[in-house]
Coordinates of all heavy atoms in Angstrom, one line a residue:
M1 N 5.7 11.5 49.0 CA 4.3 11.1 48.7 C 3.8 12.0 47.6 O 3.2 11.6 46.6 CB 3.5 11.2 50.0 CG 2.2 10.5 49.9 SD 2.4 8.7 49.6 CE 0.8 8.2 49.2
N2 N 4.0 13.3 47.7 CA 3.6 14.3 46.7 C 4.2 14.1 45.4 O 3.5 14.1 44.4 CB 3.9 15.7 47.2 CG 2.7 16.4 47.9 OD1 1.6 15.9 47.7 ND2 2.9 17.4 48.6
K3 N 5.5 13.7 45.4 CA 6.2 13.5 44.2 C 5.6 12.3 43.4 O 5.5 12.3 42.2 CB 7.7 13.3 44.4 CG 8.5 14.6 44.5 CD 10.0 14.3 44.7 CE 10.7 15.6 44.9 NZ 12.1 15.3 45.4
I4 N 5.3 11.3 44.2 CA 4.7 10.1 43.6 C 3.4 10.4 42.9 O 3.1 10.0 41.8 CB 4.6 8.9 44.6 CG1 6.0 8.5 45.0 CG2 3.7 7.8 44.0 CD1 6.0 7.6 46.3
F5 N 2.6 11.2 43.7 CA 1.3 11.6 43.2 C 1.4 12.4 41.9 O 0.7 12.2 40.9 CB 0.5 12.5 44.2 CG -0.8 12.9 43.7 CD1 -1.9 12.0 43.7 CD2 -1.0 14.2 43.3 CE1 -3.1 12.5 43.2 CE2 -2.2 14.7 42.8 CZ -3.3 13.8 42.8
I6 N 2.4 13.4 41.8 CA 2.6 14.2 40.6 C 3.0 13.3 39.5 O 2.6 13.5 38.3 CB 3.6 15.4 40.9 CG1 2.9 16.4 41.9 CG2 4.0 16.0 39.7 CD1 3.9 17.3 42.5
A7 N 3.9 12.4 39.8 CA 4.4 11.5 38.7 C 3.3 10.7 38.1 O 3.2 10.5 36.9 CB 5.5 10.6 39.3
A8 N 2.4 10.2 39.0 CA 1.3 9.4 38.6 C 0.3 10.2 37.7 O -0.1 9.8 36.7 CB 0.6 8.8 39.8
A9 N 0.1 11.5 38.2 CA -0.8 12.4 37.4 C -0.3 12.7 36.1 O -1.0 12.8 35.1 CB -1.0 13.6 38.2
M10 N 1.1 12.9 36.0 CA 1.7 13.2 34.7 C 1.6 12.0 33.8 O 1.4 12.2 32.6 CB 3.2 13.6 34.9 CG 3.4 15.0 35.3 SD 5.1 15.4 35.6 CE 5.8 15.3 34.0
L11 N 1.8 10.8 34.3 CA 1.7 9.6 33.5 C 0.3 9.5 32.9 O 0.2 9.2 31.7 CB 2.0 8.4 34.4 CG 2.3 7.1 33.6 CD1 3.5 7.2 32.7 CD2 2.4 5.9 34.6
V12 N -0.7 9.7 33.7 CA -2.1 9.7 33.2 C -2.3 10.7 32.1 O -2.9 10.4 31.1 CB -3.1 9.9 34.4 CG1 -4.5 10.1 33.9 CG2 -3.0 8.7 35.4
A13 N -1.8 11.9 32.4 CA -2.0 13.0 31.4 C -1.3 12.6 30.1 O -1.8 12.8 29.0 CB -1.4 14.3 31.9
L14 N -0.1 12.1 30.2 CA 0.7 11.7 29.0 C 0.0 10.6 28.2 O -0.1 10.6 27.0 CB 2.1 11.2 29.3 CG 3.1 12.4 29.7 CD1 4.4 11.8 30.2 CD2 3.4 13.2 28.4
T15 N -0.5 9.6 29.0 CA -1.2 8.5 28.3 C -2.5 9.0 27.6 O -2.8 8.6 26.5 CB -1.6 7.4 29.4 OG1 -0.4 7.1 30.2 CG2 -2.1 6.1 28.8
G16 N -3.2 9.9 28.3 CA -4.4 10.5 27.7 C -4.1 11.2 26.4 O -4.8 11.0 25.4
T17 N -3.0 11.9 26.4 CA -2.6 12.6 25.2 C -2.3 11.7 24.1 O -2.7 11.9 22.9 CB -1.4 13.6 25.5 OG1 -1.8 14.4 26.6 CG2 -1.1 14.5 24.3
A18 N -1.5 10.6 24.4 CA -1.1 9.7 23.4 C -2.3 9.0 22.8 O -2.4 8.8 21.6 CB -0.2 8.6 24.1
L19 N -3.3 8.7 23.6 CA -4.5 8.1 23.1 C -5.3 9.0 22.2 O -5.8 8.6 21.2 CB -5.4 7.6 24.3 CG -5.0 6.3 24.9 CD1 -5.8 6.0 26.2 CD2 -5.1 5.1 24.0
A20 N -5.4 10.3 22.7 CA -6.1 11.3 21.9 C -5.5 11.4 20.5 O -6.3 11.6 19.6 CB -6.1 12.6 22.7
N21 N -4.2 11.4 20.5 CA -3.6 11.5 19.2 C -3.6 10.2 18.3 O -3.5 10.3 17.1 CB -2.1 11.9 19.3 CG -2.0 13.3 19.9 OD1 -2.8 14.1 19.7 ND2 -0.9 13.5 20.6
D22 N -3.9 9.1 19.0 CA -3.9 7.8 18.4 C -5.2 7.6 17.6 O -5.1 7.0 16.5 CB -3.7 6.7 19.4 CG -2.5 5.9 19.2 OD1 -1.6 6.4 18.5 OD2 -2.5 4.7 19.6
C23 N -6.3 8.0 18.1 CA -7.6 7.7 17.5 C -7.6 8.1 16.0 O -7.9 7.3 15.2 CB -8.7 8.3 18.2 SG -8.7 8.2 20.0
P24 N -7.3 9.4 15.7 CA -7.4 9.8 14.3 C -6.5 9.0 13.4 O -6.9 8.6 12.3 CB -7.0 11.3 14.3 CG -7.2 11.7 15.7 CD -6.9 10.5 16.5
N25 N -5.3 8.6 13.9 CA -4.4 7.8 13.1 C -5.0 6.4 12.9 O -4.9 5.8 11.8 CB -3.1 7.6 13.9 CG -2.3 8.9 13.8 OD1 -2.4 9.7 12.9 ND2 -1.4 9.1 14.8
L26 N -5.6 5.8 14.0 CA -6.2 4.5 13.8 C -7.4 4.5 12.9 O -7.5 3.6 12.1 CB -6.6 4.0 15.2 CG -5.5 3.6 16.2 CD1 -6.1 3.3 17.6 CD2 -4.6 2.5 15.7
I27 N -8.2 5.5 13.0 CA -9.4 5.7 12.1 C -8.9 5.8 10.7 O -9.5 5.2 9.8 CB -10.2 6.9 12.6 CG1 -10.8 6.6 14.0 CG2 -11.3 7.2 11.6 CD1 -11.4 7.8 14.7
K28 N -7.9 6.6 10.5 CA -7.3 6.8 9.1 C -6.9 5.5 8.5 O -7.1 5.1 7.4 CB -6.2 7.8 9.2 CG -6.1 8.7 7.9 CD -5.0 9.8 8.1 CE -4.2 9.9 6.9 NZ -3.0 10.7 7.1
K29 N -6.2 4.7 9.4 CA -5.7 3.4 8.9 C -6.9 2.5 8.6 O -6.8 1.7 7.6 CB -4.9 2.7 10.0 CG -3.4 3.0 9.9 CD -2.6 2.2 10.9 CE -1.3 2.8 11.2 NZ -0.7 2.4 12.5
D30 N -7.9 2.5 9.4 CA -9.2 1.8 9.1 C -9.7 2.1 7.7 O -10.0 1.2 6.9 CB -10.3 2.1 10.1 CG -10.1 1.3 11.4 OD1 -9.4 0.3 11.4 OD2 -10.6 1.8 12.5
E31 N -9.8 3.4 7.5 CA -10.4 3.9 6.2 C -9.6 3.5 5.0 O -10.1 3.1 4.0 CB -10.6 5.4 6.3 CG -11.8 5.8 7.2 CD -12.0 7.3 7.4 OE1 -11.0 8.0 7.3 OE2 -13.1 7.7 7.7
E32 N -8.2 3.6 5.2 CA -7.3 3.2 4.2 C -7.4 1.7 3.9 O -7.4 1.3 2.7 CB -5.9 3.5 4.5 CG -5.5 5.0 4.2 CD -4.3 5.5 4.9 OE1 -3.5 4.6 5.4 OE2 -4.0 6.7 4.9
M33 N -7.5 0.9 5.0 CA -7.6 -0.6 4.8 C -8.9 -1.0 4.2 O -8.9 -1.9 3.3 CB -7.4 -1.3 6.1 CG -6.0 -1.6 6.4 SD -5.9 -2.8 7.8 CE -6.1 -1.7 9.1
A34 N -10.0 -0.3 4.6 CA -11.3 -0.6 4.0 C -11.3 -0.4 2.5 O -11.9 -1.1 1.8 CB -12.4 0.2 4.7
K35 N -10.6 0.7 2.1 CA -10.5 1.0 0.7 C -9.6 0.0 -0.1 O -9.9 -0.5 -1.2 CB -9.9 2.4 0.5 CG -11.0 3.4 0.1 CD -10.3 4.8 -0.2 CE -10.9 5.9 0.7 NZ -10.0 7.1 0.6
A36 N -8.5 -0.4 0.6 CA -7.5 -1.2 0.0 C -8.0 -2.6 -0.2 O -7.7 -3.3 -1.2 CB -6.2 -1.2 0.8
M37 N -8.7 -3.1 0.8 CA -9.1 -4.5 0.8 C -10.5 -4.7 1.3 O -10.7 -5.2 2.4 CB -8.2 -5.4 1.5 CG -7.7 -4.9 2.8 SD -6.7 -6.1 3.6 CE -5.5 -5.0 4.5
P38 N -11.5 -4.2 0.6 CA -12.9 -4.3 1.0 C -13.3 -5.8 1.2 O -13.0 -6.6 0.3 CB -13.7 -3.6 0.0 CG -12.8 -3.5 -1.2 CD -11.4 -3.6 -0.8
G39 N -14.0 -6.1 2.2 CA -14.6 -7.4 2.4 C -16.0 -7.5 1.7 O -16.3 -6.6 0.9
D40 N -16.8 -8.5 2.2 CA -18.1 -8.6 1.6 C -19.0 -7.4 2.2 O -18.6 -6.8 3.2 CB -18.7 -9.9 1.9 CG -18.7 -10.2 3.4 OD1 -17.7 -10.6 3.9 OD2 -19.8 -10.0 4.0
A41 N -20.1 -7.2 1.6 CA -21.0 -6.0 1.9 C -21.4 -6.0 3.4 O -21.3 -5.0 4.0 CB -22.2 -6.0 1.0
A42 N -21.7 -7.2 3.9 CA -22.1 -7.3 5.3 C -21.0 -6.9 6.3 O -21.2 -6.2 7.2 CB -22.6 -8.7 5.6
T43 N -19.8 -7.3 5.9 CA -18.6 -7.0 6.8 C -18.4 -5.5 6.7 O -18.1 -4.8 7.7 CB -17.4 -7.7 6.3 OG1 -17.7 -9.1 6.3 CG2 -16.2 -7.5 7.2
M44 N -18.5 -4.9 5.5 CA -18.2 -3.5 5.3 C -19.1 -2.6 6.1 O -18.8 -1.5 6.6 CB -18.1 -3.1 3.8 CG -17.0 -3.7 3.0 SD -15.4 -3.8 3.9 CE -14.9 -2.1 3.9
V45 N -20.4 -3.0 6.2 CA -21.4 -2.3 7.0 C -20.9 -2.2 8.4 O -21.0 -1.2 9.0 CB -22.8 -2.9 6.9 CG1 -23.8 -2.3 7.9 CG2 -23.4 -2.8 5.5
K46 N -20.5 -3.4 8.9 CA -20.0 -3.4 10.3 C -18.7 -2.6 10.5 O -18.5 -1.9 11.5 CB -19.7 -4.9 10.7 CG -20.9 -5.7 11.0 CD -20.5 -7.1 11.5 CE -21.7 -8.0 11.4 NZ -21.2 -9.4 11.5
V47 N -17.8 -2.6 9.5 CA -16.6 -1.8 9.5 C -16.9 -0.3 9.6 O -16.4 0.4 10.4 CB -15.7 -2.1 8.3 CG1 -14.5 -1.1 8.2 CG2 -15.1 -3.6 8.4
D48 N -17.9 0.1 8.7 CA -18.3 1.5 8.7 C -18.9 1.9 10.0 O -18.7 3.0 10.5 CB -19.3 1.7 7.5 CG -18.6 1.8 6.2 OD1 -17.4 1.9 6.2 OD2 -19.3 1.7 5.2
E49 N -19.7 1.0 10.6 CA -20.3 1.3 11.9 C -19.2 1.5 13.0 O -19.3 2.5 13.8 CB -21.1 0.1 12.4 CG -22.6 0.1 11.8 CD -23.3 -1.1 12.2 OE1 -22.8 -2.0 13.0 OE2 -24.4 -1.3 11.6
Q50 N -18.2 0.7 13.0 CA -17.1 0.8 14.0 C -16.3 2.1 13.7 O -15.9 2.7 14.7 CB -16.2 -0.4 13.9 CG -16.8 -1.7 14.4 CD -17.3 -1.6 15.8 OE1 -16.6 -1.1 16.7 NE2 -18.5 -2.1 16.1
I51 N -16.1 2.4 12.5 CA -15.3 3.7 12.2 C -16.2 4.9 12.6 O -15.6 5.8 13.2 CB -15.0 3.8 10.6 CG1 -14.0 2.7 10.3 CG2 -14.5 5.1 10.3 CD1 -13.7 2.6 8.8
A52 N -17.5 4.9 12.3 CA -18.3 6.0 12.8 C -18.3 6.1 14.3 O -18.3 7.2 14.9 CB -19.8 5.7 12.2
L53 N -18.4 4.9 15.0 CA -18.4 4.9 16.4 C -17.0 5.4 17.0 O -17.0 6.2 17.9 CB -18.6 3.4 16.9 CG -18.6 3.2 18.4 CD1 -19.8 3.9 19.0 CD2 -18.7 1.8 18.8
A54 N -16.0 5.0 16.3 CA -14.6 5.5 16.7 C -14.6 7.0 16.6 O -14.0 7.7 17.5 CB -13.6 4.8 15.9
K55 N -15.1 7.6 15.5 CA -15.1 9.0 15.4 C -15.9 9.7 16.4 O -15.5 10.8 17.0 CB -15.6 9.4 14.0 CG -14.6 9.1 12.8 CD -15.3 9.5 11.5 CE -14.3 9.2 10.4 NZ -15.0 9.3 9.1
K56 N -17.1 9.2 16.7 CA -18.0 9.7 17.7 C -17.4 9.7 19.1 O -17.4 10.8 19.7 CB -19.3 8.9 17.7 CG -20.5 9.7 18.3 CD -21.7 8.8 18.4 CE -21.8 8.1 19.7 NZ -22.9 7.1 19.8
E57 N -16.8 8.6 19.4 CA -16.2 8.5 20.8 C -15.0 9.4 20.9 O -14.8 10.0 22.0 CB -15.8 7.1 21.1 CG -16.9 6.1 21.1 CD -17.8 6.2 22.3 OE1 -17.7 7.2 23.0 OE2 -18.6 5.3 22.6
H58 N -14.3 9.6 19.8 CA -13.1 10.5 19.9 C -13.6 11.9 20.1 O -13.0 12.6 20.9 CB -12.3 10.4 18.6 CG -11.2 11.4 18.5 ND1 -10.1 11.4 19.3 CD2 -11.0 12.4 17.6 CE1 -9.3 12.4 19.0 NE2 -9.9 13.0 18.0
K59 N -14.6 12.3 19.4 CA -15.1 13.7 19.5 C -15.7 13.9 20.9 O -15.6 15.0 21.4 CB -16.2 13.9 18.5 CG -15.7 14.5 17.2 CD -16.9 14.9 16.3 CE -16.4 15.1 14.9 NZ -17.6 15.0 13.9
A60 N -16.3 12.9 21.5 CA -16.8 13.0 22.8 C -15.8 12.9 23.9 O -16.1 13.1 25.1 CB -17.9 11.8 23.0
G61 N -14.5 12.6 23.5 CA -13.4 12.6 24.5 C -13.2 11.2 25.1 O -12.4 11.0 26.0
N62 N -14.0 10.2 24.6 CA -13.8 8.8 25.1 C -12.8 8.1 24.2 O -13.1 7.3 23.3 CB -15.1 8.1 25.0 CG -16.2 8.8 25.8 OD1 -15.9 9.3 26.9 ND2 -17.4 8.8 25.4
H63 N -11.5 8.5 24.4 CA -10.5 8.0 23.4 C -10.3 6.5 23.6 O -10.0 5.9 22.6 CB -9.2 8.8 23.7 CG -9.4 10.3 23.5 ND1 -9.7 10.8 22.3 CD2 -9.4 11.3 24.4 CE1 -9.9 12.1 22.5 NE2 -9.7 12.4 23.7
E64 N -10.4 6.0 24.8 CA -10.2 4.6 24.9 C -11.3 3.8 24.1 O -11.0 2.8 23.5 CB -10.3 4.2 26.4 CG -9.2 3.2 26.9 CD -9.1 3.1 28.4 OE1 -8.9 4.2 29.0 OE2 -9.3 2.0 28.9
A65 N -12.5 4.2 24.2 CA -13.6 3.6 23.5 C -13.4 3.8 22.0 O -13.7 2.9 21.2 CB -14.9 4.2 23.9
S66 N -12.8 4.9 21.6 CA -12.6 5.2 20.2 C -11.5 4.2 19.7 O -11.7 3.6 18.6 CB -12.1 6.6 20.0 OG -11.7 6.8 18.7
V67 N -10.5 4.0 20.4 CA -9.4 3.1 20.0 C -9.9 1.6 20.0 O -9.6 0.9 19.0 CB -8.2 3.1 21.1 CG1 -7.2 2.0 20.8 CG2 -7.5 4.5 20.9
T68 N -10.8 1.3 20.9 CA -11.4 -0.1 20.9 C -12.2 -0.3 19.6 O -12.1 -1.3 19.0 CB -12.3 -0.2 22.2 OG1 -11.5 0.0 23.3 CG2 -12.9 -1.6 22.2
A69 N -13.0 0.7 19.3 CA -13.9 0.6 18.1 C -13.0 0.6 16.8 O -13.3 -0.2 15.9 CB -14.8 1.8 18.0
A70 N -11.9 1.4 16.8 CA -11.0 1.4 15.6 C -10.4 0.0 15.5 O -10.2 -0.5 14.3 CB -10.0 2.5 15.8
K71 N -10.0 -0.6 16.6 CA -9.3 -1.9 16.5 C -10.3 -3.0 16.2 O -9.9 -4.0 15.5 CB -8.7 -2.2 17.9 CG -7.4 -1.4 18.1 CD -6.7 -1.8 19.3 CE -5.3 -1.0 19.4 NZ -4.8 -1.1 20.8
E72 N -11.6 -2.8 16.5 CA -12.6 -3.8 16.2 C -12.8 -3.8 14.6 O -13.0 -4.8 14.0 CB -13.9 -3.4 16.9 CG -15.0 -4.4 16.9 CD -14.5 -5.7 17.5 OE1 -13.8 -5.7 18.6 OE2 -14.8 -6.8 17.0
A73 N -12.7 -2.6 14.1 CA -12.8 -2.5 12.6 C -11.7 -3.2 11.9 O -11.8 -3.9 10.9 CB -12.8 -1.0 12.2
W74 N -10.5 -3.1 12.5 CA -9.3 -3.8 12.0 C -9.6 -5.3 12.0 O -9.3 -6.0 11.0 CB -8.1 -3.6 12.9 CG -7.4 -2.4 12.7 CD1 -7.8 -1.2 12.2 CD2 -6.0 -2.1 13.1 NE1 -6.9 -0.2 12.3 CE2 -5.7 -0.8 12.8 CE3 -5.0 -2.9 13.7 CZ2 -4.5 -0.2 13.1 CZ3 -3.8 -2.3 14.0 CH2 -3.5 -1.0 13.7
K75 N -10.1 -5.8 13.1 CA -10.4 -7.2 13.2 C -11.4 -7.7 12.1 O -11.2 -8.7 11.5 CB -11.0 -7.5 14.6 CG -9.9 -7.9 15.6 CD -10.6 -8.5 16.9 CE -10.0 -7.8 18.1 NZ -10.9 -7.9 19.3
L76 N -12.4 -6.9 11.9 CA -13.4 -7.2 10.9 C -12.8 -7.2 9.5 O -13.2 -8.0 8.7 CB -14.5 -6.1 10.9 CG -15.4 -6.2 12.1 CD1 -16.3 -4.9 12.2 CD2 -16.4 -7.4 12.1
L77 N -11.7 -6.4 9.3 CA -11.0 -6.4 8.0 C -10.0 -7.5 7.9 O -9.3 -7.6 6.9 CB -10.3 -5.0 7.8 CG -11.3 -3.9 7.5 CD1 -10.6 -2.6 7.8 CD2 -11.8 -3.9 6.1
G78 N -9.9 -8.3 9.0 CA -9.0 -9.5 9.0 C -7.6 -9.1 9.4 O -6.7 -9.9 9.0
M79 N -7.4 -8.0 10.1 CA -6.0 -7.6 10.5 C -5.7 -8.2 11.9 O -6.6 -8.2 12.7 CB -5.9 -6.1 10.5 CG -6.0 -5.6 9.1 SD -4.7 -6.2 8.0 CE -3.3 -5.4 8.6
Ligands
LIG101 CU1 -9.4 10.2 20.5

């Protein structure tokens, strides 16, 4: 029972770390894509908002929310 608990805790820790490392990469990709293929002005405002949100959530430790915002920016860019 204890072993299962430890394995589960480790899995959560590993997933958390992976997500924490993922956000800056995803945000970087967003920024690169926004530069490479800017959409219309209204879309870019929304993209910038999502990127700013992703950075904020990452700093706050809400990595899942950060990844969601970063992926939302991708969608807005047509990815
Ligand atoms: Cu993060």
